[in-house]
Amino acid sequence: MISDIDLKVVVDMRQLTEQKVHCLTDPWSVDAAVWEIDTNTLTTKKIKPFTDYFHQPFTEDVIW
């Protein structure tokens, strides 16, 4: 469900299809990940962990 993602730490989003979106959660945290949300069913799926920026300085340009 949508409650699996802490929405207050979503840093970026990408639309994949008319009903699917990818969300990147706080890339500087240990729990950073890319999530997929189905906007029709509001189900979520963790696509992959995202630790590329863990222990790195803040930047506006996160490449994911």
Side-chain angles (χ1 to χ4, degrees), residues 1-57:
M1 289 301 302
I2 199 92
S3 60
D4 293 340
I5 303 173
D6 188 357
L7 293 176
K8 65 181 174 272
V9 295
V10 171
V11 172
D12 202 2
M13 298 175 80
R14 293 182 182 157
Q15 183 175 358
L16 275 123
T17 67
E18 288 186 17
Q19 72 182 47
K20 293 194 180 197
V21 175
H22 277 183
C23 296
L24 173 65
T25 57
D26 184 1
W28 300 276
S29 76
V30 69
D31 297 323
V34 176
W35 290 83
E36 184 174 279
I37 301 173
D38 184 313
T39 58
N40 287 340
T41 63
L42 295 182
T43 56
T44 59
K45 176 172 60 169
K46 187 176 184 179
I47 302 298
K48 65 178 184 174
F50 189 81
T51 57
D52 298 3
Y53 287 78
F54 187 61
H55 288 304
Q56 298 298 317

